[in-house]
Amino acid sequence: MAKLFIDPQPTPNPNAMKFNVSASVTGGGSESYTSKEAAQDSPLAAGIFALEGVTGVFMLGNFVTVNKDPSASWNELVPSVMEVIDEHLT
């Protein structure tokens, strides 16, 4: 299997980060989750919500956008989100 590439990109919103992925993350349509409870049907979204500070997950095609609490640090979250995406897609 080819190596999965994940490219985090900042967005105009300082509390949102887009993760471009070299593989599809959804079955076709968009998926949006605003709580841990809502994300339980999606293993990938649930894994991201398990990280402290995550407040939202949006997935479509080959990208995932993660929203965080303003007090959370992207320096800590980005590597963890990338690890969760990699674990769920490889």
Side-chain angles (χ1 to χ4, degrees), residues 4-6 10 17-18 22 26 32 38 44-45 52 65 73 81:
L4 185 71
F5 291 98
I6 305 166
M17 183 78 67
K18 181 179 180 183
S22 63
T26 65
S32 183
L44 176 54
E52 190 169 339
T65 298
S73 165
V81 170

Side-chain angles (χ1 to χ4, degrees), residues 18-85:
K18 181 179 180 183
F19 295 82
N20 294 305
V21 183
S22 63
S24 180
V25 295
T26 65
S30 66
E31 299 178 22
S32 183
Y33 304 96
T34 57
S35 69
K36 286 182 182 183
E37 294 74 26
Q40 291 310 304
D41 290 339
S42 168
L44 176 54
I48 294 170
F49 260 107
L51 303 172
E52 190 169 339
V54 172
T55 61
V57 176
F58 176 79
M59 303 185 293
L60 175 64
N62 67 336
F63 75 86
V64 178
T65 298
V66 177
N67 291 288
K68 70 170 185 69
D69 184 272
S71 65
S73 165
W74 282 124
N75 288 337
E76 295 174 15
L77 272 176
V78 167
S80 298
V81 170
M82 291 176 65
E83 184 176 323
V84 170
I85 292 171

